[in-house]
Amino acid sequence: KNQVEQSPQSLIILEGKNCTLQCNYTVSPFSNLRWYKQDTGRGPVSLTIMTFSENTKSNGRYTATLDADTKQSSLHITASQLSDSASYICVVSPHASGGSYIPTFGRGTSLIVHP
Amino acid sequence: NAGVTQTPKFQVLKTGQSMTLQCAQDMNHEYMSWYRQDPGMGLRLIHYSVGAGITDQGEVPNGYNVSRSTTEDFPLRLLSAAPSQTSVYFCASSPSGGPTGELFFGEGSRLTVL
């Protein structure tokens, strides 16, 4: 069964500090990996997407990396802001050649940024 | 563009009641889907549609019905509500690539079944 595991489950940091969130997956064959940001009480919003051949993608202060060999991804947040407080969800989509194209969602990492 | 609009935002039901969660999108997306989000679990796919007149089951379809008569609308029906269906429901659409494309989510509908 395809799985996506995220760590840590929750994280508290001070405003201005950097942090890195982890995502390990077993989805194979693999189509793409996305990171979503979900503010409390809102729907998730896409931050980055990476395909099999990409190993890094940036979106402002957010940088995602991908190691397809070890099936690991990370999301690095630089110079955190209070507005970064949210849940960050890793989503891995299988390649249709594997018989299914339903994405697998991780449980998310809850990030709290304190002033 | 309003994006993906879900109604109602909050609903309380008694066990055995039925109801429909509405979802509408104005982005002309072919792909639409319903997810449920429970504490400590990832989003789980209930039903999806790749175009008007076409629907299919996701991971957790039992107790739910969908239809897709237009590109814009994708309602989710709870046939006989059970406490296990207490959850936050999200509708999402995608412009291309089906479920592997970027998903645009609504704001969610919080359902409590007593």
Side-chain angles (χ1 to χ4, degrees):
Chain A
K1 181 181 177 182
N2 289 334
Q3 290 185 313
V4 175
E5 300 289 340
Q6 292 188 242
S7 62
Q9 190 173 3
S10 61
L11 183 62
I12 301 174
I13 62 174
L14 292 176
E15 187 178 14
K17 297 297 186 182
N18 303 336
C19 68
T20 299
L21 313 180
Q22 300 290 344
C23 173
N24 294 345
Y25 62 93
T26 63
V27 178
S28 183
F30 160 86
S31 174
N32 64 62
L33 185 148
R34 293 181 184 273
W35 284 92
Y36 285 81
K37 179 187 179 189
Q38 184 176 20
D39 292 319
T40 301
R42 309 292 295 273
V45 175
S46 179
L47 287 175
T48 64
I49 176 177
M50 286 179 293
T51 61
F52 182 86
S53 60
E54 297 174 300
N55 54 27
T56 188
K57 186 69 71 74
S58 291
N59 179 1
R61 294 179 297 101
Y62 300 101
T63 299
T65 63
L66 172 66
D67 186 334
D69 290 332
T70 61
K71 294 186 171 57
Q72 295 180 325
S73 176
S74 65
L75 181 68
H76 186 74
I77 304 175
T78 303
S80 61
Q81 300 177 357
L82 298 180
S83 59
D84 292 331
S85 296
S87 179
Y88 291 85
I89 302 171
C90 176
V91 183
V92 184
S93 294
H95 194 278
S97 64
S100 169
Y101 51 91
I102 295 178
T104 300
F105 285 73
R107 298 181 182 183
T109 292
S110 175
L111 174 65
I112 298 174
V113 180
H114 279 314
Chain B
N1 284 353
V4 178
T5 302
Q6 291 184 231
T7 56
K9 286 184 167 46
F10 300 94
Q11 183 71 51
V12 178
L13 291 179
K14 294 181 179 178
T15 297
Q17 288 184 318
S18 62
M19 76 157 299
T20 299
L21 299 177
Q22 302 290 346
C23 176
Q25 53 93 7
D26 60 359
M27 298 174 283
N28 203 32
H29 289 174
E30 290 296 325
Y31 178 82
M32 296 186 74
S33 54
W34 277 101
Y35 289 84
R36 60 178 289 172
Q37 187 174 42
D38 301 296
M41 301 187 71
L43 282 142
R44 292 182 292 169
L45 182 64
I46 304 172
H47 284 286
Y48 64 96
S49 169
V50 298
I54 306 169
T55 63
D56 208 345
Q57 296 181 349
E59 306 167 80
V60 288
N62 292 342
Y64 307 96
N65 260 358
V66 292
S67 59
R68 184 94 180 270
S69 56
T70 67
T71 298
E72 294 78 21
D73 300 299
F74 191 46
L76 178 72
R77 297 182 184 85
L78 279 71
L79 308 173
S80 177
S84 60
Q85 293 179 303
T86 293
S87 188
V88 181
Y89 292 84
F90 287 97
C91 179
S93 68
S94 180
S96 62
T100 64
E102 179 180 0
L103 292 170
F104 292 79
F105 287 86
E107 295 291 276
S109 297
R110 183 176 294 275
L111 174 67
T112 301
V113 183
L114 303 175

